[in-house]
Amino acid sequence: MTGDVAPLGSAHAAARTRAFREGLVAEMPSLRAFAISLSGQLQLADDLFQETLLNAWANADGYQPGTNLRAWLFTILRNTFFSLHRQRGREVQDSDGVYSQRLATPAAQEGALDLADFRIALAKLPAEQREVLIMVGASGLSYEEAATVCNIAIGTVKSRISRARATLAVLLGISGPEDLGAGSATDAVVKVGSVSELR
Amino acid sequence: MILSKSSLTHVLMSDRPQSQYANSMELFARRSVLGYLGRDVSQRGSTRTLLIRRMTGTADMESGPDSDAPSARFTPRSHVPTKRGASHHNRVIDDAIGEALRAHYRALAEAPLPDRFLVLLAELEAKDAGHDR
């Protein structure tokens, strides 16, 4: 993507309507969140985020109004990510989640799972599974949009998400509702067994 | 009678048929697991296989009429799993994961955005304005 960026000339300025600019600003938090998810390191994520903003700006005429701006921006971000890694000549680092693990957990944390544990498990997923899980499960893209972003079949998106969920369940040690509340499944087994056995 | 988690795990991971459970502790653990699964104690197949079937939602597919005989059946007070129960479990797990996923992402998106990115955008807009003139 960075190799064939259109010049920031007046010919492209027309495509950068007010709606596009406002949309871009509105999508910045989500776009940066996705950048952090992809790169795992804050410094790397912000380089990626900045490069994506420049690319999106330069290629605004490639955006079709009425389509999902977030999905369009994610595509640019993802292409930029791989292109940056090629330029830097190194493998995608397996340090995803390092930054996010340091994030403070919201004081009033709701939900059955511990967020810190969840982040560690999420970081262990293969990158190709994590990206679609984040896109569909967290950022609100449809299966179809995620498939377009990654340039893969919808079925592949679905199977990656399904595998990601199964792996997370194993990593987090949850096999049923018992594991999400107080006490684990094994505790329940022992309890039921001993009560019946003793009578 | 106290059954530690580690001995139970040992039994769960074991693939030996029931007849080879010389240790009464292990047999007891097996009975407990089968009870949890709502199964006849004399049910064939290793405990591990039964548990896997249960977790993958295929627990009831191979249960013959024998295992439903009331006299032979080890019935716990609660937890008589059904196929519907299995899919309910999966949904509960997916919900919990989905919830954590959204919370994680929300925290990332709510992290303060450095000013330099807004400055960058303002500079780009200024360039456009310059060209328009």
Side-chain angles (χ1 to χ4, degrees):
Chain A
M1 181 59 71
T2 41
D4 56 350
V5 170
L8 301 175
S10 55
H12 296 272
R16 295 189 281 269
T17 60
R18 186 175 171 168
F20 177 81
R21 290 198 305 268
E22 285 175 354
L24 184 58
V25 171
E27 288 299 333
M28 280 169 82
S30 193
L31 194 60
R32 186 158 176 259
F34 189 52
I36 296 168
S37 296
L38 273 191
S39 60
Q41 292 182 333
L42 191 56
Q43 182 57 51
L44 221 57
D46 277 347
D47 288 353
L48 171 62
F49 179 55
Q50 175 165 327
E51 201 67 26
T52 304
L53 289 176
L54 289 170
N55 286 341
W57 190 262
N59 294 286
D61 56 346
Y63 171 68
Q64 294 185 339
T67 60
N68 190 339
L69 180 62
R70 181 172 295 181
W72 183 76
L73 290 170
F74 276 20
T75 310
I76 293 180
L77 185 134
R78 198 171 169 279
N79 290 339
T80 306
F81 174 70
F82 290 120
S83 139
L84 279 179
H85 272 286
R86 269 197 303 275
Q87 283 176 13
R88 295 180 184 195
R90 54 178 153 151
E91 288 295 300
V92 174
Q93 292 192 354
D94 193 20
S95 60
D96 302 75
V98 170
Y99 168 70
S100 61
Q101 280 165 31
R102 286 207 315 263
L103 279 178
T105 303
Q109 185 192 328
E110 293 173 6
L113 295 172
D114 180 78
L115 202 51
D117 289 346
F118 180 80
R119 283 173 174 149
I120 292 168
L122 188 66
K124 287 179 182 164
L125 287 182
E128 60 169 33
Q129 289 180 22
R130 185 173 50 248
E131 64 175 5
V132 287
L133 187 69
I134 294 274
M135 276 187 256
V136 175
S139 82
L141 261 58
S142 68
Y143 285 110
E144 195 173 3
E145 286 163 346
T148 307
V149 170
C150 301
N151 197 23
I152 52 177
I154 292 181
T156 310
V157 173
K158 287 182 180 172
S159 69
R160 282 181 188 176
I161 288 176
S162 167
R163 270 181 284 144
R165 280 191 179 130
T167 307
L168 283 178
V170 171
L171 288 173
L172 294 164
I174 45 174
S175 59
E178 304 88 353
D179 301 327
L180 297 169
S184 66
T186 40
D187 288 332
V189 170
V190 173
K191 204 170 155 190
V192 167
S194 34
V195 168
S196 309
E197 191 74 10
L198 291 171
R199 283 180 182 174
Chain B
M1 184 181 239
I2 298 164
L3 182 66
S4 71
K5 262 194 187 180
S6 60
S7 65
L8 180 59
T9 306
H10 171 71
V11 176
L12 293 181
M13 297 317 290
S14 162
D15 226 335
R16 283 173 295 168
Q18 186 196 345
S19 59
Q20 290 172 29
Y21 282 99
N23 186 320
S24 63
M25 186 74 94
E26 290 192 4
L27 181 58
F28 166 67
R30 180 176 163 80
R31 278 166 175 263
S32 301
V33 171
L34 287 166
Y36 171 67
L37 297 174
R39 290 281 184 150
D40 181 350
V41 177
S42 65
Q43 177 79 31
R44 289 195 180 275
S46 75
T47 312
R48 184 163 169 262
T49 310
L50 294 174
L51 252 193
I52 290 170
R53 274 193 215 139
R54 160 77 164 73
M55 288 170 71
T56 54
T58 54
D60 295 308
M61 290 172 72
E62 292 177 46
S63 58
D66 286 350
S67 62
D68 287 331
S71 58
R73 192 165 177 174
F74 182 107
T75 311
R77 263 160 237 280
S78 58
H79 271 309
V80 181
T82 60
K83 270 171 151 179
R84 199 168 136 252
S87 71
H88 171 69
H89 282 199
N90 290 338
R91 200 168 61 244
V92 169
I93 293 170
D94 280 356
D95 285 353
I97 289 175
E99 198 179 0
L101 201 57
R102 286 188 294 276
H104 159 72
Y105 192 78
R106 210 181 307 126
L108 291 184
E110 284 172 359
L113 197 68
D115 287 344
R116 64 184 171 102
F117 296 115
L118 292 168
V119 170
L120 174 72
L121 216 59
E123 285 171 359
L124 291 170
E125 284 188 40
K127 271 188 198 170
D128 274 3
H131 281 291
D132 289 344
R133 257 174 237 141

